[in-house]
Amino acid sequence: MKNKKIHGNVRDAALSILYAVENKQAYSNLLLNTTMDSYGISAKNKGLLTEITYGTLQHQMTLDYYLEPYIKGKLDPWVRTLLRLSLYQIVYLDRIPFHAVINEAVEIAKRRGHGGIASVVNGILRSVQRTGVRSFNEIADPIEKISIETSHPAWMIKRWSEQFGMQKAREMALENNKAPLQTVRVNTVQATPEQVIEMLESEGLTAEPSKIIPECLVVTGGQPVRTQAFEKGFITIQDESSMLPAYALQVEPGMTVLDMCAAPGGKTTHIAEKLEGHGAVLAMDLHAHKVKLIEETAKRLGHQTIETTVGDGRESSERFGEEKFDRILVDAPCSGLGVIKRKPDIKYTKTPDDFGRLQTIQLALLDEAVKLLKPGGILVYSTCTVDTEENRGTAEKFMNTHPQMEQIPAELPAAFKSKGKGFVQVFPQDFGSDGFFIASFRKTDGQVAES
């Protein structure tokens, strides 16, 4: 592919991002902003670029299924990517005329390749225009059918079907292809949700209270990160599900809390708000650049109770000593299968081999957390995945090897229907948030009662 990018062109920018994601192991969310800048994408077109990029990624396997009957012979990877993003607009975006999509694709093919490639692209897209796309009913195997229909790898659909049933697996996969809600958390140290709603509306956005989390607002009509309310520290961007751990920790003012895998700091700052200015939360992460993000967020929100440190949670008892913290959050590294809606590349990069490796890390972090926790203290294990092996599987293995830790109900907001029920698994389709898991434990004296 010739590096002849078309300045200001949304489709050409989308092609650059999608090609890098598939062929250079780049991350779409990181590339999007840098590409907008390098291409000089206008403010009015940034939304369209985001939509085409994420939409094409979300439906990649479906688009390949639709294209397959029309492709004869071998295509360069970038040409296939161009066809995918063009077909995405044709199938999923009503407002863009068919002829405009084809003309744009042909122009990009000429500039990036040559006349012969442009002719192939034109021929394939016009064939689709004439005869349409094929039905999923041609696929006999039910797992494969859901896989292609929802554009999730077959191994993933099979795994979810075994864990939760085929219907739930399909519902989850379909939900993953929807646009995520924009949610913010109100900094309750600085303002009430009602005050922040007024602030956001004065800047032209619409904000509604969450039905689940009292300090969460669902925002539409603009980008909350570009508001004065954000800049002045009245809100922070956070998914609704990830606001649950701060509740499960049962934090009270005056406590000492450890957030063991803290970056980028959403849960850390939420814990700080629960401390109401009294106590301390230590935010630890393995990477210095990520710890800097926590520091920047804490400063913007005006939280004085947050301390940060770079370090590996698996070695922290040697560093801090044992039984030092009243509360510990282990929001562990995981497969991230609960956030596919926000990071569609995850579907294609994860493999079944990842789960065992990740569980080893999760258990090591929990082992260390037990040493650091005071008797009577609460430990919360959370992940942003839906996988049973990483969630219930890790929590049960942990309990089996730590008799001094008793499982307790996760104390969550009253509106949350799973309150008080052992392990809490949130699915993306439950209330439109990320998939998430929470398990709560209390440290006892370790004595096992006689029967």
Side-chain angles (χ1 to χ4, degrees), residues 65-66 69 132-139 145 148-149:
Y65 174 76
Y66 288 154
V133 295
R134 56 180 172 165
S135 167
F136 300 124
N137 291 331
E138 294 179 24
I139 306 169
K145 186 175 181 180
I148 297 299
E149 176 195 11

Side-chain angles (χ1 to χ4, degrees), residues 3 17 29 31 40 60 64 90 102 105 133 136 176 252 263 272 321 327 341 343 349 362 369 378 396 409 422 434 441:
N3 190 25
I17 297 168
N29 58 325
L31 265 181
Q60 180 173 303
D64 284 349
I90 290 164
I102 295 176
V133 295
F136 300 124
N176 285 342
E252 295 174 11
R327 302 285 188 267
K341 196 185 287 188
K343 299 177 180 177
T349 57
Q362 291 153 4
I378 291 175
E396 287 178 345
D434 292 342
F441 308 95

Side-chain angles (χ1 to χ4, degrees), residues 324-344:
K324 295 292 185 184
F325 297 94
D326 300 295
R327 302 285 188 267
I328 298 178
L329 173 61
V330 178
D331 186 56
C334 68
S335 61
L337 298 185
V339 298
I340 289 173
K341 196 185 287 188
R342 298 176 194 281
K343 299 177 180 177

Side-chain angles (χ1 to χ4, degrees), residues 275-341:
L275 287 171
E276 299 174 4
H278 303 284
V281 52
L282 177 62
M284 174 188 282
D285 202 87
L286 199 52
H287 305 287
H289 70 282
K290 291 187 177 180
V291 169
K292 192 177 177 189
L293 293 175
I294 304 170
E295 292 168 350
E296 289 168 356
T297 301
K299 184 178 178 183
R300 181 177 59 80
L301 296 173
H303 295 321
Q304 304 296 318
T305 53
I306 295 173
E307 299 171 35
T308 61
T309 185
V310 178
D312 188 337
R314 292 170 291 185
E315 300 165 358
S316 46
S317 65
E318 294 173 19
R319 185 171 168 189
F320 304 120
E322 299 192 358
E323 300 186 350
K324 295 292 185 184
F325 297 94
D326 300 295
R327 302 285 188 267
I328 298 178
L329 173 61
V330 178
D331 186 56
C334 68
S335 61
L337 298 185
V339 298
I340 289 173
K341 196 185 287 188

Side-chain angles (χ1 to χ4, degrees), residues 190-212:
Q190 306 279 16
T192 65
E194 292 72 24
Q195 289 169 329
V196 172
I197 287 171
E198 286 185 20
M199 289 179 205
L200 292 169
E201 289 182 346
S202 74
E203 295 192 61
L205 288 75
T206 301
E208 293 182 358
S210 152
K211 295 181 175 65
I212 308 296

Side-chain angles (χ1 to χ4, degrees), residues 366-377:
L366 289 167
D367 288 347
E368 199 71 1
V370 173
K371 299 174 192 172
L372 293 159
L373 189 64
K374 293 178 183 177

Side-chain angles (χ1 to χ4, degrees), residues 139-149 157 161 166 170:
I139 306 169
D141 180 77
I143 295 290
E144 188 188 351
K145 186 175 181 180
I146 296 171
S147 168
I148 297 299
E149 176 195 11
I157 297 298
S161 295
M166 198 173 290
R170 181 175 180 272

Side-chain angles (χ1 to χ4, degrees), residues 396-418:
E396 287 178 345
K397 279 189 176 182
F398 169 68
M399 280 170 38
N400 290 340
T401 53
H402 295 84
Q404 73 274 48
M405 300 301 293
E406 62 173 356
Q407 188 187 358
I408 59 172
E411 288 293 327
L412 300 176
F416 193 77
K417 61 189 176 187
S418 295

